[in-house]
Amino acid sequence: MPTLRDAALASAFDHAARTYDTLVSANPGYHAHLRRSARRLGLPAQGRGLRVLDLGCGTGASTAALLSVLPDAEITAVDASAGMLERAEAKRWPSSVTFVHTPAERLGAAGIGSGPVGGFDAVFAAYLFRNTADPDRVLTSVRDVLAPGGRVAVHEYTLSGKHRHRAVWSAVCAGLLPVTTALGDGALYRHLWRSVIEFDTVTHFSRRLTAAGFTRVRALPLPGWQTGITHTVVGQVPQERTRG
């Protein structure tokens, strides 16, 4: 089955939004891993005076992770799925958190990061890039909304390339599919399985960041069953740069 893209993917996420939080809560370490990746941004002073973009916020799990680590930051959370965003907005948030409905590919059109050199101190993107039709274009958008010296942390299913990690991922998805199919969301979770298998290895994705103009790129593993399956890839915009 081919992976979903664009409107079809957003629609599938809309439908799955009602049960999404319940399903991810059954994933051992899901929220703790998001917080770990948020800490890997390395931002100081609990985010005081800083602006952070949560790109692909879904129902708000990544937003909550950022808020836990950076309680004093101004957080803008965006997502392409209206259904997921509705679930996120229904939760209790401080006034420092703002939600915007827009695809990652259209940040500029939504007024995100407007200005001559972008305005965010950091971008956090969880489980986003393998769902985009053009990851390089999105990386360019991320670079452009960051201020000089701004940081990015990508929390993503990026396989190590080793057969055993691919096998573990396929086994986990095979166990999940009967439940999600019964809920009417089988197409989305088949997409989840295939999108990870077909996406970059962590080494390849790290190279994408370097090619997009990020420096200090590092790929950091996550613990537990997701070792070799999920990574945090971090990078930074150079302190001095020009806009093309």
Side-chain angles (χ1 to χ4, degrees):
M1 177 183 176
T3 53
L4 302 173
R5 288 289 178 248
D6 301 327
L9 182 57
S11 178
F13 272 116
D14 288 346
H15 188 269
R18 72 202 190 285
T19 58
Y20 193 81
D21 286 341
T22 300
L23 287 171
V24 300
S25 67
N27 181 342
Y30 184 91
H31 296 286
H33 289 173
L34 285 171
R35 292 190 293 271
R36 183 184 292 243
S37 289
R39 287 193 294 272
R40 286 170 169 173
L41 281 167
L43 297 177
Q46 296 187 312
R48 189 174 304 113
L50 301 180
R51 298 181 65 216
V52 180
L53 177 63
D54 181 15
L55 193 57
C57 66
T59 59
S62 53
T63 316
L66 284 170
L67 190 62
S68 174
V69 173
L70 303 166
D72 297 329
E74 178 185 330
I75 300 171
T76 301
V78 307
D79 202 89
S81 165
M84 299 289 269
L85 206 62
E86 182 180 2
R87 291 277 172 171
E89 289 183 292
K91 298 170 184 177
R92 296 184 64 179
W93 304 99
S95 60
S96 58
V97 176
T98 303
F99 291 94
V100 179
H101 180 212
T102 185
E105 296 87 348
R106 300 177 189 168
L107 297 178
I112 304 295
S114 58
V117 292
F120 288 97
D121 299 287
V123 172
F124 188 63
Y127 305 117
L128 170 76
F129 277 92
R130 63 189 163 72
N131 288 323
T132 64
D134 190 344
D136 294 322
R137 178 185 171 191
V138 177
L139 279 171
T140 298
S141 296
V142 168
R143 183 197 65 205
D144 288 348
V145 301
L146 283 166
R151 303 174 188 181
V152 61
V154 177
H155 177 102
E156 185 59 275
Y157 294 124
T158 44
L159 298 175
S160 69
K162 295 181 179 178
H163 176 75
R164 69 176 183 273
H165 296 141
R166 181 185 176 111
V168 168
W169 172 251
S170 292
V172 168
C173 290
L176 187 62
L177 277 173
V179 176
T180 57
T181 299
L183 293 170
D185 296 317
L188 177 62
Y189 287 88
R190 283 189 292 273
H191 160 85
L192 170 65
W193 171 44
R194 293 302 309 170
S195 67
V196 175
I197 295 294
E198 295 170 4
F199 191 55
D200 298 347
T201 64
V202 65
T203 300
H204 188 180
F205 186 72
S206 298
R207 289 172 181 160
R208 282 190 194 268
L209 265 74
T210 300
F214 291 95
T215 61
R216 300 183 181 181
V217 174
R218 294 181 298 149
L220 306 168
L222 287 157
W225 76 267
Q226 296 194 56
T227 298
I229 295 171
T230 312
H231 296 83
T232 319
V233 183
V234 297
Q236 188 170 8
V237 172
Q239 288 286 349
E240 299 293 334
R241 65 188 178 96
T242 58
R243 292 287 295 276

